[in-house]
Amino acid sequence: MREITPSIDFDKRLAGEDLAGSRAHVRMLASEGIVAKEDASAILLGLEQIEREIADGKFVFKRELEDIHLNIEARLTEIIGPAAGRLHTARSRNDQVVTDFRLWVRAACERADHGLLQLSRALLTQAELHAATIMPGYTHMQPAQPVTFGHHLMAYVEMFARDRGRFEDARKRLNESPLGAAALAGTSFPIDRDVTAMSLGFSRPMRNSMDAISARDFALEYLAACTISAVNLSRLAGELVQWSMPAFGFVKLSDAFTTGSSIMPQKRNPDAAELIRGKTGRVLGDFVSLATVVKGLVLTFGSDLQEDKERVFDAADTIEISLAAMAAMIADLTADPAKMRAAAEPGFTTATDLADWVVRVLKKPFREAHHIAGSIVKRAEEAGVTLDKLPLAEMQAIEPAITDGVFSVLSLDASVNSRMSLGGTAPARVKEQIRLWRERLK
Protein backbone atom coordinates (compact mmCIF):
# COMPACT_ATOMS: atom_id res chain seq x y z
CA MET A 1 0.00 0.00 0.00
CA ARG A 2 2.90 2.33 0.68
CA GLU A 3 4.01 1.88 -2.93
CA ILE A 4 0.71 1.80 -4.80
CA THR A 5 -1.19 4.55 -2.97
CA PRO A 6 0.94 7.74 -3.17
CA SER A 7 0.38 10.15 -6.05
CA ILE A 8 2.63 12.95 -4.82
CA ASP A 9 5.36 12.01 -7.31
CA PHE A 10 3.19 13.34 -10.13
CA ASP A 11 0.36 15.37 -8.60
CA LYS A 12 2.80 17.84 -7.06
CA ARG A 13 2.41 19.53 -10.45
CA LEU A 14 -0.99 20.66 -9.12
CA ALA A 15 0.54 22.66 -6.27
CA GLY A 16 -0.24 26.06 -7.80
CA GLU A 17 -3.82 25.09 -8.53
CA ASP A 18 -4.26 23.57 -5.09
CA LEU A 19 -3.08 26.77 -3.42
CA ALA A 20 -5.39 28.85 -5.61
CA GLY A 21 -8.38 26.65 -4.77
CA SER A 22 -7.60 26.79 -1.08
CA ARG A 23 -7.36 30.57 -1.09
CA ALA A 24 -10.70 30.93 -2.86
CA HIS A 25 -12.31 28.43 -0.49
CA VAL A 26 -11.08 29.96 2.77
CA ARG A 27 -11.97 33.50 1.68
CA MET A 28 -15.49 32.34 0.94
CA LEU A 29 -15.68 30.53 4.30
CA ALA A 30 -14.65 33.72 6.08
CA SER A 31 -17.08 35.93 4.14
CA GLU A 32 -19.95 33.56 4.97
CA GLY A 33 -18.99 33.49 8.68
CA ILE A 34 -18.21 29.76 8.58
CA VAL A 35 -14.58 30.34 9.61
CA ALA A 36 -13.34 33.20 11.81
CA LYS A 37 -11.60 35.98 9.89
CA GLU A 38 -8.47 35.72 12.03
CA ASP A 39 -8.18 31.99 11.23
CA ALA A 40 -8.72 32.72 7.55
CA SER A 41 -5.99 35.38 7.63
CA ALA A 42 -3.57 32.96 9.29
CA ILE A 43 -4.39 30.30 6.69
CA LEU A 44 -3.82 32.73 3.81
CA LEU A 45 -0.46 33.82 5.24
CA GLY A 46 0.54 30.20 5.68
CA LEU A 47 -0.42 29.40 2.10
CA GLU A 48 1.70 32.33 0.90
CA GLN A 49 4.69 30.92 2.77
CA ILE A 50 4.12 27.48 1.25
CA GLU A 51 3.95 29.02 -2.22
CA ARG A 52 7.32 30.71 -1.66
CA GLU A 53 8.85 27.48 -0.37
CA ILE A 54 7.68 25.56 -3.43
CA ALA A 55 8.92 28.29 -5.79
CA ASP A 56 12.32 28.30 -4.05
CA GLY A 57 12.59 24.52 -4.09
CA LYS A 58 12.58 24.33 -0.30
CA PHE A 59 9.27 22.53 0.15
CA VAL A 60 9.69 18.88 1.15
CA PHE A 61 7.19 16.60 -0.60
CA LYS A 62 6.57 13.51 1.54
CA ARG A 63 5.37 10.24 -0.02
CA GLU A 64 3.88 9.11 3.29
CA LEU A 65 1.40 11.98 2.98
CA GLU A 66 0.19 10.49 -0.33
CA ASP A 67 -0.79 13.53 -2.38
CA ILE A 68 -0.32 17.26 -2.91
CA HIS A 69 -3.40 18.12 -0.82
CA LEU A 70 -2.24 16.39 2.36
CA ASN A 71 1.34 17.62 1.87
CA ILE A 72 0.18 21.22 1.77
CA GLU A 73 -2.25 20.78 4.66
CA ALA A 74 0.43 19.13 6.81
CA ARG A 75 2.90 21.93 6.13
CA LEU A 76 0.21 24.53 6.82
CA THR A 77 -0.37 22.88 10.22
CA GLU A 78 3.36 23.08 10.96
CA ILE A 79 3.32 26.81 10.14
CA ILE A 80 0.11 28.04 11.82
CA GLY A 81 -0.99 25.21 14.09
CA PRO A 82 -4.49 23.72 14.58
CA ALA A 83 -6.23 26.56 12.73
CA ALA A 84 -4.99 24.91 9.52
CA GLY A 85 -7.62 22.22 10.04
CA ARG A 86 -10.39 24.76 9.42
CA LEU A 87 -9.36 25.01 5.76
CA HIS A 88 -10.97 21.67 5.02
CA THR A 89 -14.37 22.78 6.31
CA ALA A 90 -17.15 22.18 3.74
CA ARG A 91 -14.91 20.47 1.22
CA SER A 92 -13.47 17.04 0.52
CA ARG A 93 -10.35 15.85 -1.22
CA ASN A 94 -12.78 14.69 -3.90
CA ASP A 95 -13.93 18.16 -4.95
CA GLN A 96 -10.51 19.59 -4.13
CA VAL A 97 -8.61 17.36 -6.55
CA VAL A 98 -11.04 17.73 -9.42
CA THR A 99 -11.05 21.51 -8.97
CA ASP A 100 -7.25 21.53 -9.15
CA PHE A 101 -7.32 19.25 -12.17
CA ARG A 102 -9.84 21.38 -14.06
CA LEU A 103 -7.74 24.47 -13.41
CA TRP A 104 -4.65 22.65 -14.70
CA VAL A 105 -6.33 21.33 -17.85
CA ARG A 106 -7.80 24.76 -18.54
CA ALA A 107 -4.30 26.23 -18.54
CA ALA A 108 -3.08 23.33 -20.70
CA CYS A 109 -5.75 24.17 -23.30
CA GLU A 110 -4.46 27.74 -23.34
CA ARG A 111 -0.83 26.59 -23.74
CA ALA A 112 -1.78 24.31 -26.63
CA ASP A 113 -3.66 27.16 -28.28
CA HIS A 114 -0.60 29.39 -27.96
CA GLY A 115 1.64 26.69 -29.44
CA LEU A 116 -0.72 26.26 -32.39
CA LEU A 117 -0.83 30.02 -32.88
CA GLN A 118 2.98 30.22 -33.08
CA LEU A 119 3.06 27.33 -35.53
CA SER A 120 0.37 28.92 -37.70
CA ARG A 121 2.32 32.18 -37.82
CA ALA A 122 5.46 30.33 -38.90
CA LEU A 123 3.50 28.58 -41.66
CA LEU A 124 2.05 31.92 -42.79
CA THR A 125 5.50 33.47 -43.08
CA GLN A 126 6.76 30.62 -45.27
CA ALA A 127 3.55 30.62 -47.32
CA GLU A 128 3.96 34.33 -47.98
CA LEU A 129 7.47 33.74 -49.31
CA HIS A 130 6.25 30.95 -51.58
CA ALA A 131 2.75 31.97 -52.66
CA ALA A 132 3.82 31.48 -56.30
CA THR A 133 6.42 28.71 -55.88
CA ILE A 134 5.23 25.81 -58.04
CA MET A 135 5.41 22.24 -56.79
CA PRO A 136 3.57 19.02 -57.60
CA GLY A 137 0.33 18.33 -55.79
CA TYR A 138 -0.21 14.63 -55.17
CA THR A 139 -3.05 12.17 -54.92
CA HIS A 140 -2.20 8.54 -54.15
CA MET A 141 1.39 9.86 -53.86
CA GLN A 142 1.37 10.33 -57.65
CA PRO A 143 1.89 13.75 -59.28
CA ALA A 144 -1.62 15.04 -59.90
CA GLN A 145 -1.75 18.78 -60.58
CA PRO A 146 0.64 21.65 -60.05
CA VAL A 147 0.04 23.70 -56.91
CA THR A 148 2.06 26.28 -55.03
CA PHE A 149 4.12 25.60 -51.95
CA GLY A 150 2.33 28.47 -50.26
CA HIS A 151 -1.03 26.86 -50.99
CA HIS A 152 0.21 23.56 -49.57
CA LEU A 153 1.37 25.23 -46.36
CA MET A 154 -1.88 27.16 -46.02
CA ALA A 155 -3.72 23.84 -45.90
CA TYR A 156 -2.00 23.23 -42.57
CA VAL A 157 -2.95 26.72 -41.34
CA GLU A 158 -6.57 25.73 -41.87
CA MET A 159 -5.99 22.36 -40.20
CA PHE A 160 -4.32 23.83 -37.12
CA ALA A 161 -7.05 26.47 -36.84
CA ARG A 162 -9.52 23.62 -36.36
CA ASP A 163 -7.21 22.19 -33.70
CA ARG A 164 -7.28 25.54 -31.93
CA GLY A 165 -11.07 25.45 -32.09
CA ARG A 166 -11.12 22.04 -30.42
CA PHE A 167 -8.97 23.25 -27.52
CA GLU A 168 -11.12 26.36 -27.22
CA ASP A 169 -14.29 24.26 -27.12
CA ALA A 170 -12.77 21.93 -24.54
CA ARG A 171 -11.79 24.91 -22.39
CA LYS A 172 -15.30 26.37 -22.54
CA ARG A 173 -16.95 23.11 -21.56
CA LEU A 174 -14.60 22.34 -18.66
CA ASN A 175 -14.80 25.84 -17.21
CA GLU A 176 -17.32 25.00 -14.49
CA SER A 177 -16.40 24.75 -10.84
CA PRO A 178 -16.82 21.49 -8.89
CA LEU A 179 -15.64 23.14 -5.66
CA GLY A 180 -18.32 22.81 -2.98
CA ALA A 181 -19.58 19.44 -4.19
CA ALA A 182 -17.65 18.04 -1.20
CA ALA A 183 -17.38 14.24 -1.11
CA LEU A 184 -20.29 13.67 -3.52
CA ALA A 185 -23.52 15.04 -2.02
CA GLY A 186 -22.74 18.71 -1.35
CA THR A 187 -22.41 20.14 2.14
CA SER A 188 -24.68 21.30 4.95
CA PHE A 189 -22.60 24.46 5.46
CA PRO A 190 -24.07 27.65 3.91
CA ILE A 191 -21.31 28.07 1.33
CA ASP A 192 -21.47 30.34 -1.71
CA ARG A 193 -20.30 28.32 -4.71
CA ASP A 194 -20.80 31.24 -7.08
CA VAL A 195 -18.18 33.22 -5.19
CA THR A 196 -15.52 30.48 -5.36
CA ALA A 197 -16.32 29.80 -9.01
CA MET A 198 -15.90 33.47 -9.90
CA SER A 199 -12.73 33.75 -7.83
CA LEU A 200 -11.13 30.90 -9.77
CA GLY A 201 -12.19 32.17 -13.17
CA PHE A 202 -14.86 29.54 -13.76
CA SER A 203 -17.97 30.60 -15.62
CA ARG A 204 -20.32 28.96 -13.10
CA PRO A 205 -20.53 26.18 -10.47
CA MET A 206 -21.40 22.69 -11.69
CA ARG A 207 -25.08 21.99 -11.03
CA ASN A 208 -24.92 18.39 -9.83
CA SER A 209 -22.58 17.41 -7.01
CA MET A 210 -22.28 13.77 -8.13
CA ASP A 211 -21.41 14.79 -11.69
CA ALA A 212 -18.96 17.37 -10.35
CA ILE A 213 -17.00 14.71 -8.46
CA SER A 214 -17.06 11.94 -11.03
CA ALA A 215 -16.80 13.71 -14.40
CA ARG A 216 -13.55 13.25 -16.28
CA ASP A 217 -14.90 13.88 -19.75
CA PHE A 218 -13.19 17.27 -19.63
CA ALA A 219 -9.84 15.46 -19.44
CA LEU A 220 -10.92 13.06 -22.19
CA GLU A 221 -11.96 15.96 -24.40
CA TYR A 222 -8.59 17.63 -23.84
CA LEU A 223 -6.82 14.37 -24.68
CA ALA A 224 -8.97 13.96 -27.79
CA ALA A 225 -7.98 17.45 -28.93
CA CYS A 226 -4.33 16.60 -28.24
CA THR A 227 -4.66 13.37 -30.22
CA ILE A 228 -6.17 15.04 -33.29
CA SER A 229 -3.57 17.79 -33.14
CA ALA A 230 -0.79 15.19 -32.84
CA VAL A 231 -2.18 13.40 -35.90
CA ASN A 232 -2.12 16.65 -37.87
CA LEU A 233 1.41 17.38 -36.67
CA SER A 234 2.42 13.90 -37.73
CA ARG A 235 1.15 14.49 -41.25
CA LEU A 236 3.21 17.66 -41.56
CA ALA A 237 6.21 15.95 -39.99
CA GLY A 238 5.91 13.14 -42.52
CA GLU A 239 5.94 15.67 -45.34
CA LEU A 240 9.06 17.33 -43.93
CA VAL A 241 10.77 13.93 -43.80
CA GLN A 242 9.75 13.24 -47.39
CA TRP A 243 10.53 16.71 -48.74
CA SER A 244 14.00 16.70 -47.17
CA MET A 245 14.98 13.41 -48.83
CA PRO A 246 17.60 13.92 -51.60
CA ALA A 247 15.17 12.26 -54.02
CA PHE A 248 12.81 15.19 -53.42
CA GLY A 249 15.04 17.98 -52.16
CA PHE A 250 12.10 20.34 -51.76
CA VAL A 251 13.29 21.69 -48.40
CA LYS A 252 16.45 21.74 -46.36
CA LEU A 253 16.31 21.40 -42.59
CA SER A 254 19.19 23.07 -40.78
CA ASP A 255 21.67 21.41 -38.46
CA ALA A 256 19.56 22.69 -35.54
CA PHE A 257 16.81 20.18 -36.37
CA THR A 258 18.75 17.30 -37.90
CA THR A 259 21.41 14.90 -36.68
CA GLY A 260 24.26 13.04 -38.29
CA SER A 261 24.89 9.33 -38.45
CA SER A 262 27.25 7.55 -36.09
CA ILE A 263 29.10 5.98 -39.05
CA MET A 264 27.89 7.79 -42.21
CA PRO A 265 29.26 11.34 -42.22
CA GLN A 266 27.11 12.50 -45.15
CA LYS A 267 23.79 11.91 -43.39
CA ARG A 268 21.38 14.65 -42.33
CA ASN A 269 18.62 12.85 -40.45
CA PRO A 270 15.33 14.73 -39.84
CA ASP A 271 15.15 13.53 -36.25
CA ALA A 272 12.93 16.28 -34.87
CA ALA A 273 10.27 15.62 -37.51
CA GLU A 274 10.51 11.87 -37.00
CA LEU A 275 10.18 12.24 -33.24
CA ILE A 276 7.07 14.39 -33.64
CA ARG A 277 5.63 11.78 -35.98
CA GLY A 278 6.42 9.03 -33.49
CA LYS A 279 4.89 10.82 -30.50
CA THR A 280 1.43 10.60 -32.06
CA GLY A 281 1.07 7.04 -30.77
CA ARG A 282 2.03 8.17 -27.30
CA VAL A 283 -0.68 10.85 -27.16
CA LEU A 284 -3.29 8.48 -28.60
CA GLY A 285 -2.23 5.95 -25.96
CA ASP A 286 -2.86 8.51 -23.24
CA PHE A 287 -6.40 9.05 -24.54
CA VAL A 288 -7.13 5.32 -24.79
CA SER A 289 -5.67 4.70 -21.34
CA LEU A 290 -7.88 7.27 -19.60
CA ALA A 291 -10.97 6.25 -21.57
CA THR A 292 -10.36 2.69 -20.42
CA VAL A 293 -10.05 3.81 -16.79
CA VAL A 294 -13.25 5.85 -16.84
CA LYS A 295 -15.51 3.60 -18.91
CA GLY A 296 -16.46 1.20 -16.11
CA LEU A 297 -16.69 3.57 -13.16
CA VAL A 298 -20.02 3.97 -11.39
CA LEU A 299 -20.80 7.31 -9.77
CA THR A 300 -19.02 8.91 -8.06
CA PHE A 301 -15.40 8.57 -6.92
CA GLY A 302 -13.04 5.66 -7.09
CA SER A 303 -9.29 5.62 -6.62
CA ASP A 304 -9.08 4.50 -10.25
CA LEU A 305 -9.34 8.21 -11.02
CA GLN A 306 -5.88 8.71 -9.59
CA GLU A 307 -4.75 7.40 -13.00
CA ASP A 308 -6.15 10.42 -14.83
CA LYS A 309 -3.36 12.89 -14.13
CA GLU A 310 -0.29 11.10 -15.43
CA ARG A 311 -1.98 10.50 -18.77
CA VAL A 312 -2.98 14.14 -19.11
CA PHE A 313 0.39 15.43 -17.92
CA ASP A 314 2.18 13.18 -20.41
CA ALA A 315 -0.03 14.24 -23.32
CA ALA A 316 0.37 17.92 -22.41
CA ASP A 317 4.16 17.67 -22.22
CA THR A 318 4.24 15.78 -25.50
CA ILE A 319 1.96 18.05 -27.52
CA GLU A 320 3.57 21.22 -26.19
CA ILE A 321 7.14 20.22 -27.08
CA SER A 322 5.95 18.89 -30.45
CA LEU A 323 4.24 22.18 -31.29
CA ALA A 324 7.28 24.19 -30.24
CA ALA A 325 9.65 22.01 -32.26
CA MET A 326 7.43 22.08 -35.35
CA ALA A 327 7.03 25.86 -35.23
CA ALA A 328 10.80 26.27 -34.98
CA MET A 329 11.44 23.80 -37.83
CA ILE A 330 8.97 25.52 -40.14
CA ALA A 331 10.47 28.94 -39.39
CA ASP A 332 13.98 27.58 -39.96
CA LEU A 333 13.54 25.52 -43.15
CA THR A 334 14.79 26.61 -46.55
CA ALA A 335 12.72 25.74 -49.62
CA ASP A 336 14.23 24.94 -53.03
CA PRO A 337 11.81 26.35 -55.66
CA ALA A 338 13.86 24.99 -58.57
CA LYS A 339 13.61 21.40 -57.35
CA MET A 340 9.93 21.79 -56.60
CA ARG A 341 9.25 23.06 -60.09
CA ALA A 342 11.37 20.35 -61.68
CA ALA A 343 9.36 17.72 -59.80
CA ALA A 344 6.12 19.19 -61.14
CA GLU A 345 7.23 18.89 -64.79
CA PRO A 346 7.00 15.07 -65.20
CA GLY A 347 3.75 13.19 -64.81
CA PHE A 348 1.69 15.33 -67.20
CA THR A 349 0.25 17.33 -64.33
CA THR A 350 -1.50 19.77 -66.71
CA ALA A 351 -3.62 17.01 -68.31
CA THR A 352 -6.73 18.25 -66.48
CA ASP A 353 -6.12 21.72 -67.91
CA LEU A 354 -6.07 20.13 -71.38
CA ALA A 355 -9.38 18.38 -70.70
CA ASP A 356 -10.89 21.59 -69.33
CA TRP A 357 -9.77 23.49 -72.43
CA VAL A 358 -11.47 20.90 -74.68
CA VAL A 359 -14.70 21.33 -72.69
CA ARG A 360 -14.51 25.13 -72.62
CA VAL A 361 -13.37 25.79 -76.20
CA LEU A 362 -14.51 22.77 -78.19
CA LYS A 363 -17.74 22.37 -76.20
CA LYS A 364 -17.18 18.65 -75.65
CA PRO A 365 -18.73 16.79 -72.69
CA PHE A 366 -16.17 16.36 -69.94
CA ARG A 367 -16.11 12.57 -70.21
CA GLU A 368 -15.25 12.82 -73.90
CA ALA A 369 -12.70 15.54 -73.16
CA HIS A 370 -11.18 13.30 -70.49
CA HIS A 371 -10.75 10.54 -73.09
CA ILE A 372 -9.17 12.94 -75.60
CA ALA A 373 -6.76 14.29 -72.99
CA GLY A 374 -5.85 10.77 -71.92
CA SER A 375 -5.02 9.81 -75.51
CA ILE A 376 -2.85 12.92 -75.92
CA VAL A 377 -1.04 12.13 -72.67
CA LYS A 378 -0.30 8.65 -74.01
CA ARG A 379 1.08 10.16 -77.23
CA ALA A 380 3.28 12.58 -75.26
CA GLU A 381 4.50 9.74 -73.06
CA GLU A 382 5.49 7.75 -76.15
CA ALA A 383 7.28 10.78 -77.55
CA GLY A 384 9.05 11.43 -74.24
CA VAL A 385 7.92 15.06 -73.95
CA THR A 386 5.68 17.11 -71.68
CA LEU A 387 2.28 18.18 -72.91
CA ASP A 388 3.34 21.75 -73.69
CA LYS A 389 6.16 20.39 -75.89
CA LEU A 390 4.03 17.95 -77.91
CA PRO A 391 3.58 19.24 -81.49
CA LEU A 392 0.13 20.50 -82.38
CA ALA A 393 -0.08 18.05 -85.28
CA GLU A 394 0.22 15.14 -82.84
CA MET A 395 -2.73 16.47 -80.85
CA GLN A 396 -4.78 17.10 -83.99
CA ALA A 397 -4.21 13.51 -85.06
CA ILE A 398 -6.32 12.62 -82.01
CA GLU A 399 -8.77 15.55 -82.11
CA PRO A 400 -8.65 17.62 -85.32
CA ALA A 401 -10.50 20.58 -83.78
CA ILE A 402 -7.68 21.38 -81.35
CA THR A 403 -5.94 24.68 -82.15
CA ASP A 404 -2.67 26.21 -81.01
CA GLY A 405 -4.69 28.06 -78.39
CA VAL A 406 -4.41 24.94 -76.29
CA PHE A 407 -0.80 25.79 -75.46
CA SER A 408 -1.99 28.74 -73.40
CA VAL A 409 -3.17 26.35 -70.69
CA LEU A 410 -0.52 23.62 -70.76
CA SER A 411 2.34 25.27 -68.88
CA LEU A 412 2.74 24.89 -65.12
CA ASP A 413 2.34 28.63 -64.57
CA ALA A 414 -0.81 28.80 -66.67
CA SER A 415 -2.30 25.86 -64.81
CA VAL A 416 -1.59 27.31 -61.39
CA ASN A 417 -2.71 30.82 -62.29
CA SER A 418 -5.99 29.53 -63.68
CA ARG A 419 -7.09 27.96 -60.38
CA MET A 420 -8.95 31.06 -59.23
CA SER A 421 -11.93 29.34 -57.62
CA LEU A 422 -12.39 30.03 -53.93
CA GLY A 423 -9.78 27.99 -52.07
CA GLY A 424 -7.77 27.43 -55.26
CA THR A 425 -4.01 27.38 -55.66
CA ALA A 426 -3.70 30.50 -57.84
CA PRO A 427 -1.11 32.79 -56.23
CA ALA A 428 -3.68 35.59 -56.09
CA ARG A 429 -5.99 33.35 -54.07
CA VAL A 430 -3.14 32.17 -51.83
CA LYS A 431 -2.15 35.77 -51.06
CA GLU A 432 -5.78 36.53 -50.33
CA GLN A 433 -5.90 33.71 -47.80
CA ILE A 434 -2.61 34.82 -46.24
CA ARG A 435 -4.00 38.32 -45.71
CA LEU A 436 -7.15 36.88 -44.15
CA TRP A 437 -5.18 34.70 -41.74
CA ARG A 438 -2.70 37.46 -40.91
CA GLU A 439 -5.65 39.49 -39.66
CA ARG A 440 -7.18 36.55 -37.75
CA LEU A 441 -3.91 35.61 -36.06
CA LYS A 442 -2.97 39.09 -34.83
Side-chain angles (χ1 to χ4, degrees), residues 25 28 95 98-99 102-103 106 172-182 186-187 191-213 215:
H25 184 64
M28 180 276 296
D95 63 337
V98 74
T99 300
R102 280 182 182 260
L103 289 171
R106 186 177 72 186
K172 285 178 182 176
R173 257 185 293 279
L174 72 81
N175 201 35
E176 296 182 337
S177 175
L179 190 58
T187 176
I191 62 173
D192 190 332
R193 294 188 62 211
D194 288 298
V195 166
T196 51
M198 185 179 301
S199 176
L200 293 169
F202 289 114
S203 56
R204 65 188 67 84
M206 295 183 74
R207 290 182 290 270
N208 184 287
S209 61
M210 296 180 75
D211 178 49
I213 295 305

Side-chain angles (χ1 to χ4, degrees), residues 13 20 74 179 197 246 294 310-311 352 378 416 424 427:
R13 292 181 68 160
L179 190 58
V294 173
E310 285 184 284
R311 302 284 64 79
T352 303
K378 186 176 180 181
V416 165

